[in-house]
Amino acid sequence: MKLLARVALVVLAPLLSVAQPSTTPSTQQLDVDLRAMRARCIGPFRGGRSLAVAGHADLPKTYYFGATGGGVWKSEDGGETWRSVADTTFSTSSVGAITIAPSDPNVVYVGMGETDIRGNISPGDGMYKTTDGGLTWKHIGLRNAQMIADIVVHPDDADVVMVSSMGNVFTANADRGIFKSTDGGASWRKVLYRNDSTGGMTLKMDPNNPRIVYASLWQAYRNAWSMSSGGNGCGLYKSTDGGETWKEITSNPGLPKGLIGKINVDVSRAQRNLVWAMVESSNGGLFKSTDAGATWSRVNTSADLRQRPW
């Protein structure tokens, strides 16, 4: 599950100097090292809640994050200082997702509108893009998507991008599901859609094979006095052709039966075919697949992970 950060970003700083081991540390050594760390706020000190953060391996001190009501911020010194980079361009300030193109760190995509459905949730106005590291921005469509959860970009082509949209969670609308662009956002195609009350939630590309993409659809709505999560529209999907076509895998062996709610999914960077899914259900929890989603096993039902499953 995504956690809702109630303050700004934090970084771990050592309370004492820990000698670097000459061999691979044991679990006990790692536990000791972690106990010697503490969290400290690195600002901005009134940044608010944040669901979107992004960095790039080629720029280890450069980070972007989006606040749920404060726009996009950038740091170029590892989080010591931050500056707003979108106030003069963006029409709305609620940010749901940020992704940097793996092939070009100057290309950054931002999806507006958070998708953790709270009582004070704010919608957005679609997608924005920069090609100069945040100096200038351009609106690139999906204006009625309202709430964007995830963005994935092809590792070798910064113009190939996919977006998951929850749409308007207060009423039925068709701008939901998974959208794909092959021209950097100049045009979009809806490639996965269930109905006008079911939106796109998690979207993850296999880091070992960009043709393999996992996505979840979430049927949920909110009004002034209540919220509903779960329905026949919910499901987990897999594509093996870069998001052009999809196969539902919700009923694959090991996943829970019956009413399904929100599903978060991710793919291991270290081990091929290892996939994780957090499933909201009466028999839900954290599920693991070692065969690329063909079969699953439930490995954790802790309330610490599931206390706010929606």
Side-chain angles (χ1 to χ4, degrees), residues 21 27 37 44 50 62 102 111 118 140 152 176 179 182 186 188 190 236 250 253 262 264 266 298:
T27 301
M37 310 291 281
S50 177
T62 298
R118 301 162 59 93
I140 57 169
V152 297
R176 303 171 178 264
F179 294 82
T182 57
W188 296 90
K190 189 186 296 184
L236 183 60
T250 319
K262 183 179 180 181
N264 283 329
D266 206 357
R298 187 168 62 171

Side-chain angles (χ1 to χ4, degrees), residues 1-267:
M1 283 285 179
K2 294 180 179 177
L3 299 180
L4 302 179
R6 295 185 181 277
V7 292
L9 303 182
V10 297
V11 67
L12 292 176
L15 286 176
L16 50 85
S17 177
V18 181
Q20 295 296 318
S22 58
T23 60
T24 302
S26 65
T27 301
Q28 184 176 7
Q29 287 174 315
L30 288 174
D31 288 343
V32 171
D33 291 349
L34 290 174
R35 285 198 297 270
M37 310 291 281
R38 65 178 175 85
R40 64 181 176 88
C41 182
I42 60 172
F45 294 96
R46 294 189 63 82
R49 210 165 59 246
S50 177
L51 304 176
V53 62
H56 195 282
D58 293 345
L59 300 173
K61 290 190 176 183
T62 298
Y63 295 92
Y64 298 84
F65 87 87
T68 59
V72 178
W73 297 70
K74 181 179 181 180
S75 173
E76 295 179 281
D77 54 13
E80 290 297 323
T81 60
W82 296 87
R83 71 179 191 276
S84 174
V85 293
D87 278 356
T88 60
T89 306
F90 288 25
S91 299
T92 55
S93 62
S94 176
V95 180
I98 298 179
T99 296
I100 303 174
S103 60
D104 186 348
N106 289 308
V107 177
V108 185
Y109 291 92
V110 175
M112 306 304 288
E114 64 168 313
T115 50
D116 281 319
I117 305 177
R118 301 162 59 93
N120 59 343
I121 188 171
S122 298
D125 64 334
M127 290 290 296
Y128 287 86
K129 176 185 178 182
T130 178
T131 57
D132 53 19
L135 293 177
T136 60
W137 297 85
K138 180 182 179 181
H139 190 273
I140 57 169
L142 300 183
R143 188 172 298 276
N144 295 321
Q146 294 218 5
M147 297 171 185
I148 292 174
D150 266 340
I151 306 167
V152 297
V153 182
H154 193 283
D156 303 317
D157 189 343
D159 286 335
V160 178
V161 55
M162 283 187 287
V163 168
S164 61
S165 163
M166 274 297 292
N168 187 340
V169 298
F170 292 92
T171 188
N173 80 317
D175 292 281
R176 303 171 178 264
I178 308 301
F179 294 82
K180 182 176 181 178
S181 174
T182 57
D183 52 16
S187 62
W188 296 90
R189 291 181 292 117
K190 189 186 296 184
V191 292
L192 179 61
Y193 176 76
R194 194 69 173 260
N195 56 49
D196 62 6
S197 63
T198 301
M201 190 58 208
T202 305
L203 182 64
K204 291 292 184 294
M205 183 177 287
D206 190 329
N208 300 300
N209 184 350
R211 292 191 300 273
I212 299 176
V213 188
Y214 296 87
S216 66
L217 298 184
W218 185 24
Q219 190 167 23
Y221 72 83
R222 167 119 227 155
N223 57 30
W225 59 89
S226 67
M227 177 192 160
S228 173
S229 174
N232 294 330
C234 298
L236 183 60
Y237 293 79
K238 179 180 179 180
S239 173
T240 57
D241 56 10
E244 294 297 323
T245 61
W246 298 83
K247 178 182 178 181
E248 186 171 3
I249 60 174
T250 319
S251 299
N252 283 11
L255 288 175
K257 309 299 180 183
L259 186 66
I260 301 294
K262 183 179 180 181
I263 303 172
N264 283 329
V265 63
D266 206 357
V267 189

